[in-house]
Amino acid sequence: MSIHNETSAIRLQADRSHHREHSVPLYLTSSFVFESAEQARAVFAEEEEGNVYSRYSNPNVDELLAKMCHLEKAEDGFAFASGMGAVFASLAALLQAGDHVLACRAVFGSTHQLLSKVLPKWGISHSYADVADPEGWEKLITPATKVILIETPSNPGLELIDLEWLGELKRKHNLVLIVDNCFATPILQNPTDYGADIVVHSATKYIDGQGRVLGGIAVGRKELISEIRFFARHTGPAMSAFNAWVLSKSLETLQLRVEKHCENALKLAEELEGNPALEQVRYPFLRSFPQFELAKKQMRRGGGIVTVAVKGGYEAAKQFLDSLRLVSISANLGDTRTIVTHPASTTHSKLTEAERQATGITPGLVRISVGLENVDDVIADIQQALAKV
């Protein structure tokens, strides 16, 4: 029978036929045994399904991937030790020397370093396209372009890209579209609905949701995941069984958590609009958000991230952060606990000043990952801290 996504996230489980476990146990083993030499040969030859080595696959990892593939409407997937492992492997497996990547200008700091410092070592180039100039994207596509890489909403500026338009563009030029869906999660949007070939996640964020473990996910078209799996199996960035077990259990509450994150974030954003210490408040489901109509079109709710621009630049933002009493200062996001981050001095500090300005990362910008606390307590703490700026 057909069941809802939130039910699948709870009920999809690894084989439990051996001991009839209601909750899947941990498979903390480096390798697996075979019943015969012939079975070993057949499994290695991929004539028979089965686990070989936990760097290749593991029942806990397989369970996590089955859930993520279902939630993201994807055919297959691979799990990584971190989100950046998923981003790097997805690019490295599908590109070769001489290829070109078209990326949105607003990408995570480490993704920028990957595009600008790491991939050029192997002759892979990139161009950045601006969200505000959709006509300019096609002009940047060359015969060498193989992949379009985007984040929507972007980190940290919350810029949105029209996925329906981009899906048409990638089909027109026969490109591979990779979408980082970390901020939205599959609860709020499914890029595969619009033609995304690969969807990547830092599972460290909302998938875990409690700041416990690292993890990365890449799901998508089976033939592309096959190439990514080959690359990952032989380069070693696989997720551990323990982390996969934690993340699979976390998915059981993802729907509830994301709904509450969204509810709290919207209320915080509405309360902060017009605060005299702030130049700007950005949240996709605020009517003042420049891309509000697009957000309503492709996202089910606004997400758990609010960004604010503190008047007075870095020194004022620093004073604001140092005045907080309840809210945490951390580089993470998607946690049960509300977190503030100053991107210009932390997560995006390796970008040049010009690069930060081009992506809207001003000296006073603060990213707020709104948690699951009583939102009135969060609002009170942020307002008292802003009052001291």
Side-chain angles (χ1 to χ4, degrees), residues 373-389:
E373 306 97 338
N374 185 306
V375 71
D376 291 337
D377 296 328
V378 175
I379 291 169
D381 189 35
I382 289 175
Q383 286 181 334
Q384 67 82 24
L386 286 173
K388 296 176 181 177
V389 174

Side-chain angles (χ1 to χ4, degrees), residues 24-236:
V24 173
L26 272 163
Y27 289 88
L28 295 180
T29 179
S30 60
S31 54
F32 301 84
V33 296
F34 304 100
E35 295 179 1
S36 66
E38 173 54 25
Q39 184 189 42
R41 184 206 65 78
V43 172
F44 267 87
E46 298 183 359
E47 298 170 3
E48 179 181 329
E49 289 188 2
N51 293 302
V52 173
Y53 193 60
S54 282
R55 173 159 55 86
Y56 286 13
S57 63
N58 176 282
N60 295 122
V61 177
D62 292 344
E63 177 183 284
L64 171 64
L65 287 171
K67 291 180 177 182
M68 286 299 299
C69 285
H70 184 83
L71 291 173
E72 284 289 15
K73 305 179 184 180
E75 297 173 350
D76 199 1
F78 196 86
F80 298 85
S82 71
M84 284 310 304
V87 174
F88 172 66
S90 297
L91 293 171
L94 303 177
L95 297 169
Q96 58 187 358
D99 286 346
H100 172 259
V101 178
L102 176 60
C104 61
R105 186 175 300 280
V107 292
F108 178 55
S110 290
T111 303
H112 170 72
Q113 298 285 34
L114 180 63
L115 292 170
S116 62
K117 300 292 196 308
V118 179
L119 293 181
K121 293 180 180 180
W122 296 293
I124 298 168
S125 61
H126 74 282
S127 297
Y128 282 135
D130 291 316
V131 172
D133 181 26
E135 294 181 0
W137 287 61
E138 193 160 18
K139 296 176 183 177
L140 294 171
I141 295 173
T142 75
T145 306
K146 297 295 187 296
V147 165
I148 298 177
L149 172 67
I150 68 157
E151 299 174 9
T152 182
S154 68
N155 182 4
L158 301 179
E159 290 186 337
L160 306 185
I161 296 173
D162 188 329
L163 289 170
E164 183 177 15
W165 163 78
L166 194 60
E168 294 173 357
L169 181 66
K170 80 98 187 180
R171 283 187 286 270
K172 178 180 177 180
H173 293 276
N174 193 29
L175 304 175
V176 173
L177 174 57
I178 302 176
V179 178
D180 186 329
N181 202 29
C182 176
F183 269 29
T185 81
I187 304 303
L188 301 183
Q189 71 183 13
N190 292 112
T192 53
D193 286 342
Y194 303 95
D197 301 290
I198 301 292
V199 178
V200 295
H201 285 272
S202 171
T204 313
K205 310 303 190 294
Y206 288 103
I207 304 303
D208 175 29
Q210 296 177 61
R212 299 168 297 183
V213 299
L214 300 177
I217 303 285
V219 297
R221 284 169 42 202
K222 194 173 187 67
E223 64 269 26
L224 298 179
I225 294 295
S226 178
E227 295 184 49
I228 293 170
R229 178 180 291 107
F230 176 85
F231 177 86
R233 281 184 169 184
H234 298 289
T235 55

